Amino acid sequence: AEHHEPDALQELLECLELHGYRCAGAACADTAFAAFAADPAIGIIVTDLRLAVGNGNELIGRLGLEFGAARAFEAILVSGYAGKDDVI
């Protein structure tokens, strides 16, 4: 999970863990990238569209370029600030 609002990140992690998911939180895209690279058990990335530095689309793209078909993962992109041009 990646988010630039620490309280929201912590609440999301707690909610997912209560439902049985093992989670790792990251405060920035570089930390999230490093955590994904270090832990092959990570299979789902939840990221905000707008991050303090960069954006969730860039993080997902970077992960795809680096790991390609060798390591499949699912990505969930969320945002409270997206406009109609951001909808995927």
Side-chain angles (χ1 to χ4, degrees):
E2 158 84 42
H3 201 287
H4 63 279
E5 295 181 26
D7 292 339
L9 171 61
Q10 190 59 40
E11 286 188 34
L12 177 60
L13 291 174
E14 289 174 9
C15 178
L16 291 171
E17 288 169 349
L18 280 172
H19 286 88
Y21 295 96
R22 186 176 65 90
C23 300
C28 72
D30 287 342
T31 304
F33 186 90
F36 183 85
D39 188 349
I42 295 174
I44 301 173
I45 303 296
V46 180
T47 183
D48 199 328
L49 176 63
R50 295 186 184 176
L51 305 173
V53 177
N55 68 60
N57 276 332
E58 292 170 353
L59 172 62
I60 294 166
R62 188 172 155 209
L63 290 169
L65 287 174
E66 178 70 24
F67 297 98
R71 183 167 169 200
F73 66 94
E74 298 295 327
I76 301 170
L77 194 58
V78 297
S79 183
Y81 302 103
K84 68 176 184 169
D85 294 335
D86 298 316
V87 176
I88 299 172

